[in-house]
């Protein structure tokens, strides 16, 4: 299957600082990428859909000024958590949609654990 | 509103004890139903996509089936390494985003 990487895998930061998470599709081009967050023992919640070369589409309740998304190329999307606070601590997972044989499948990255102190 | 319900929430099996996980859904315009496996602290790993009722797919000890209202993930003679949370998601028109169920946590004891 297609490979999606994320960096960093884990980050600890102080409250008020900004954190950038990178998501790369390694062996395919992804016009659409997705950002999810997952709290302990809960399922994935979609935060936003990122389309290459255009503005991201945020889900209801997600602050677009706090979670900045940039999809600058067909293989890279970034999520910046601005002025992070302890309540932003979570597991952030990106996903990229890969066209395979005419059908699209979403592949997920390994996730980034964010801890805001 | 598109909804996905997985059952049971948790399942404990003995090694070799076959069973099935259920994913029931209500969606308008199903484009695909996806099964993923997620290990603790990791992102979901793609297993299967099913597109139409009656479709079946297999991978090692896993077999996924689809009807118009639900999907089953059958696990035959499971091993401890099959222990994980199994997530079901539907992709529906027109947005084509994935809507996830809460998952079934499977534990296979040796």
């Amino acid at each position: 299957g297609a490979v999606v990487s994320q960096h960093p895998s884990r980050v600890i930061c102080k409250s008020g600082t900004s954190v950038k998470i990178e998501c790369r599709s390694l062996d395919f081009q992804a016009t659409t990428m997705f950002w999810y967050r997952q709290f302990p023992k809960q399922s994935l919640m979609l935060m936003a859909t990122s389309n290459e070369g255009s503005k991201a589409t945020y889900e209801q309740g997600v602050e677009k000024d706090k979670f900045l998304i940039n999809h600058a190329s067909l293989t890279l999307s970034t999520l910046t958590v601005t002025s992070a606070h302890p309540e932003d601590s979570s597991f952030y997972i990106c996903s990229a949609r890969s066209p395979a044989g005419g059908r699209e499948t979403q592949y997920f990255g390994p996730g980034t654990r964010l801890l805001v102190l | 509103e598109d909804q996905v319900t997985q059952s049971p929430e948790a399942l404990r099996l003995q090694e070799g004890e076959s069973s099935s996980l259920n994913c029931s859904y209500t969606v308008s315009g199903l484009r695909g139903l996806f099964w993923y496996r997620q290990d603790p602290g990791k992102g979901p790993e793609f297993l299967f996509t099913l597109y139409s009722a009656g479709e079946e797919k297999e991978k090692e000890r896993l077999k996924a089936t689809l009807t118009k209202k639900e999907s089953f993930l059958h696990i035959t003679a499971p091993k401890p390494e099959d222990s994980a949370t199994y997530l079901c998601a539907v992709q529906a028109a027109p947005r084509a985003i994935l809507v996830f169920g809460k998952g079934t946590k499977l534990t296979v004891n040796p």
Side-chain angles (χ1 to χ4, degrees):
Chain A
V3 179
V4 177
S5 70
Q6 269 183 255
H7 178 81
S9 59
R10 185 174 300 186
V11 59
I12 301 174
C13 69
K14 293 182 178 180
S15 184
T17 61
S18 294
V19 174
K20 180 185 283 189
I21 303 170
E22 289 188 351
C23 175
R24 295 181 184 272
S25 55
L26 298 185
D27 52 0
F28 65 98
Q29 293 185 330
T31 55
T32 305
M33 289 185 170
F34 305 85
W35 287 96
Y36 295 81
R37 65 189 296 182
Q38 186 177 34
F39 291 105
K41 299 185 179 180
Q42 294 189 22
S43 194
L44 284 73
M45 296 299 296
L46 179 65
M47 298 175 65
T49 302
S50 166
N51 293 295
E52 187 266 337
S54 64
K55 291 184 178 180
T57 301
Y58 290 83
E59 295 300 300
Q60 192 172 10
V62 177
E63 299 175 58
K64 62 180 181 181
D65 294 331
K66 181 169 188 61
F67 299 100
L68 301 179
I69 292 173
N70 185 300
H71 193 157
S73 76
L74 289 172
T75 59
L76 173 65
S77 177
T78 60
L79 168 68
T80 301
V81 183
T82 62
S83 185
H85 291 284
E87 57 265 30
D88 299 322
S89 299
S90 187
F91 191 50
Y92 292 87
I93 312 173
C94 75
S95 175
R97 188 177 280 170
S98 168
R103 302 276 200 174
E104 294 185 324
T105 296
Q106 273 185 238
Y107 294 92
F108 286 82
T112 297
R113 177 76 58 189
L114 171 63
L115 177 61
V116 184
L117 303 177
Chain B
E1 183 180 340
D2 301 332
Q3 288 191 331
V4 179
T5 303
Q6 290 188 247
S7 62
E9 290 186 12
L11 180 62
R12 286 186 175 271
L13 300 173
Q14 288 299 121
E15 184 171 2
E17 180 185 2
S18 301
S19 188
S20 297
L21 312 182
N22 177 265
C23 171
S24 62
Y25 63 91
T26 54
V27 64
S28 54
L30 180 71
R31 291 180 56 169
L33 185 141
F34 296 76
W35 282 99
Y36 291 88
R37 168 193 170 129
Q38 186 176 27
D39 292 300
K42 297 188 177 181
E45 174 189 346
F46 172 73
L47 294 174
F48 305 107
T49 310
L50 302 168
Y51 295 102
S52 57
E55 189 174 0
E56 299 183 352
K57 289 191 177 176
E58 289 189 61
K59 179 181 179 180
E60 297 180 351
R61 295 178 291 282
L62 300 176
K63 178 180 177 180
T65 62
L66 180 65
T67 72
K68 289 185 177 180
K69 295 183 179 180
E70 58 191 350
S71 176
F72 290 94
L73 184 65
H74 307 277
I75 302 177
T76 301
K79 298 181 178 181
E81 53 262 41
D82 294 323
S83 298
T85 295
Y86 290 84
L87 299 171
C88 170
V90 295
Q91 184 185 57
R95 291 192 63 197
I97 62 172
L98 292 183
V99 177
F100 281 88
K102 293 184 177 181
T104 293
K105 182 177 181 180
L106 174 65
T107 304
V108 182
N109 296 314

